[in-house]
Amino acid sequence: MSAPHQPAHLDHSRSRRLLERAREVIPGGVNSPVRAFAAVRGDPPFIARGEGTSLIDEDGNDYVDLIGSWGPLILGHAHPVVTEAIIEAARRGSSFGAPTAAEVDFAEALVEAHPVLEQVRLCSSGTEATMHAIRLARGFTGRDVIIKIDGCYHGAHDALLVAAGSGVETFAQPGSPGIPAATAALTLTAPFNDLPAIEKHLQRQRVAAVIVEPVAGNMGCIAPAPGYLEGLRRLTQEHGTLLILDEVMTGFRLARGGAAERYGVDADLVCLGKIVGGGLPLAAFGGRREIMQRLSPEGPVYQAGTLSGNPLAVAAGRATLALLDEALYARLDAIGEALDAALRPDVEGRGLSMTRVGSMFTIFFRSSPPQNLDEVRECDLDAFARFHRAALDAGVYLPPAQFEAAFLPATLDDRALQRVIDGIRAALAVVDGAGQKD
Ligand SMILES: *Cc1c(COP(=O)(O)O)cnc(C)c1O
């Protein structure tokens, strides 16, 4: 293999000036922490616009976008059909705080698409969806304790922003100052892909719910080990505990029916977000009718939102979902397979590993693919940071942390795919020669 051309550093001067201004008025200059590129010790490009599968920054650099707004943009940026739907909806009024026909159509489409959903309620972010699902699970079971999987992310609210405690038997530690220890004490943690750890908890405590990302995407992409999801279903059923699949990332990403369809796994509740909103703020939670009927006003468990079911977000979601057919998922898998076939030899030949489930993938700076968060922590994070910078210079916009999955858009054409492959190859070569260069 000939040595790929080493990418030159891009000009980011306008982005840098914007970052300086931003830092004066916004903590860290960003409205969500991972955007700051801190994990790769870089400065983020400020984005001027998105066109299909490209992002163009304020300095005029363009990248193939493999973040897609952290998952939602399965159709790429400013898809004409989605854009039209939003504009049309805006002309009819942006918010009513009252029921609409469109949200009924949308809820019917969700229930039809996802095997776990019998009823669904809309909200505005994935954080809200998991927060409400946890309250509902507690209200339904009359139990307080929940189990979360170490390294899975479910949003930034108190019950789920916790880290594993030091001993195997301990409760979770608050994941941030400001989260009361008393709240964190109601959350138990277990490693991903570890059924005995779950079983031990369930035998000792009356647990309301286990919440899991069926394919982990927030510690890099980690597939469930064979039997893991089935085992969670069986164990939770045996103990009167609800199983909540957090499909905010995997829903409509891995199949129209999410990971539940792809792996044929059942659950009690499911959370959706990201793709369902077509790039606008929309999320949903739902599941078995018997459980959902406990929600206010039908039942006593309170949940609400001023902008829930917002007409613009519902229009974007409906337009997006209408385009997600079998052919699209077949194409998405084919793009993933082509990327995999092209890059895996380069990756593994360097003693690194690559994980991929459909259109989600991660290159881990570790020789074997990790099975859980502790194993992701063993990655060479310095090497990842150099790799990320070199990929950016080569025009490939990858998540700025080893602990995040990359997403392929279904609209990626052959030319853009080749640019991704060449760019990642060049970036891997830069990391190899890191002693001399950069
Ligand atoms: C992104 C994400 C969330 C949080 O969604 P927000 O819309 O950012 O609040 C929850 N769960 C999973 C699995 C996610 O990937």
Side-chain angles (χ1 to χ4, degrees):
M1 200 187 310
S2 65
H5 172 69
Q6 185 177 340
H9 294 320
L10 302 175
D11 177 20
H12 285 135
S13 47
R14 283 176 62 89
S15 282
R16 272 207 197 94
R17 283 198 297 278
L18 282 164
L19 184 61
E20 273 167 35
R21 275 175 56 202
R23 281 184 175 141
E24 284 299 311
V25 287
I26 304 170
V30 292
N31 282 309
S32 200
V34 74
R35 297 178 195 172
F37 279 41
V40 290
R41 295 183 309 280
D43 289 340
F46 277 59
I47 303 305
R49 63 185 195 279
E51 285 174 11
T53 58
S54 291
L55 273 183
I56 296 95
D57 72 16
E58 289 284 350
D59 291 284
N61 304 303
D62 76 281
Y63 314 90
V64 183
D65 181 9
L66 298 189
I67 299 182
S69 189
W70 300 90
L73 300 181
I74 194 167
L75 297 172
H77 294 274
H79 190 286
V81 174
V82 179
T83 304
E84 264 321 299
I86 297 169
I87 292 168
E88 246 182 61
R91 289 212 174 90
R92 291 191 298 269
S94 62
S95 184
F96 311 120
T100 61
E103 70 189 357
V104 184
D105 290 342
F106 187 60
E108 285 171 351
L110 293 179
V111 166
E112 205 203 310
H114 199 287
V116 173
L117 294 179
E118 291 175 3
Q119 287 206 318
V120 65
R121 183 161 276 174
L122 304 182
C123 51
S124 300
S125 72
T127 295
E128 277 181 75
T130 64
M131 182 178 81
H132 297 317
I134 292 290
R135 181 181 303 146
L136 179 56
R138 285 171 164 160
F140 180 80
T141 58
R143 303 174 179 185
D144 290 340
V145 173
I146 57 171
I147 298 177
K148 110 167 248 296
I149 308 302
D150 213 11
C152 285
Y153 175 74
H154 308 288
H157 58 95
D158 289 5
L160 295 172
L161 197 64
V162 297
S166 42
V168 191
E169 316 302 337
T170 58
F171 291 95
Q173 303 298 308
S176 158
I179 296 177
T183 302
L186 294 174
T187 305
L188 302 166
T189 66
F192 195 61
N193 281 328
D194 185 343
L195 288 174
I198 300 279
E199 186 161 27
K200 220 175 196 178
H201 284 322
L202 291 176
Q203 281 165 350
R204 291 179 186 188
Q205 302 270 336
R206 285 164 48 79
V207 174
V210 175
I211 185 166
V212 65
E213 289 179 68
V215 171
N218 285 292
M219 47 181 152
C221 174
I222 303 184
Y228 179 60
L229 297 174
E230 295 81 350
L232 287 178
R233 172 70 298 192
R234 179 176 45 78
L235 288 172
T236 48
Q237 262 169 346
E238 282 170 14
H239 290 87
T241 298
L242 300 189
L243 178 60
I244 305 173
L245 294 183
D246 181 354
E247 296 230 48
V248 169
M249 187 180 279
T250 53
F252 293 96
R253 164 68 56 190
L254 298 181
R256 204 170 150 83
E261 177 188 324
R262 197 172 177 112
Y263 291 90
V265 63
D266 190 27
D268 300 293
L269 292 172
V270 63
C271 300
L272 295 168
K274 297 193 169 127
I275 290 174
V276 280
L280 265 65
L282 187 150
F285 66 102
R288 282 167 44 205
R289 184 180 309 273
E290 170 198 16
I291 304 170
M292 292 300 286
Q293 291 282 313
R294 298 291 178 91
L295 275 183
S296 186
E298 207 80 33
V301 179
Y302 194 70
Q303 183 276 332
T306 300
L307 292 177
S308 294
N310 173 262
L312 303 196
V314 168
R318 279 180 77 199
T320 299
L321 264 46
L323 294 169
L324 305 182
D325 56 13
E326 288 307 312
L328 179 131
Y329 288 104
R331 187 157 69 251
L332 205 48
D333 276 358
I335 295 170
E337 277 158 27
L339 177 93
D340 198 317
L343 287 179
R344 191 171 290 274
D346 291 73
V347 170
E348 292 179 353
R350 287 179 161 83
L352 310 176
S353 55
M354 178 170 172
T355 57
R356 181 182 66 86
V357 179
S359 57
M360 292 168 61
F361 77 95
T362 303
I363 294 171
F364 284 107
F365 281 72
R366 178 182 193 280
S367 59
S368 63
Q371 294 293 305
N372 56 45
L373 181 64
D374 280 348
E375 293 184 4
V376 179
R377 288 207 175 104
E378 293 168 4
C379 289
D380 182 345
L381 301 182
D382 286 333
F384 178 85
R386 291 195 301 273
F387 165 72
H388 181 269
R389 169 66 186 272
L392 198 68
D393 284 339
V396 183
Y397 189 76
L398 288 170
Q402 178 73 91
F403 296 82
E404 305 285 352
F407 301 105
L408 297 164
T411 46
L412 199 68
D413 63 20
D414 289 348
R415 229 178 106 234
L417 176 62
Q418 194 57 48
R419 195 168 166 218
V420 169
I421 291 165
D422 293 344
I424 290 180
R425 278 196 182 132
L428 289 168
V430 167
V431 177
D432 275 354
Q436 304 97 55
K437 301 170 212 157
D438 198 71

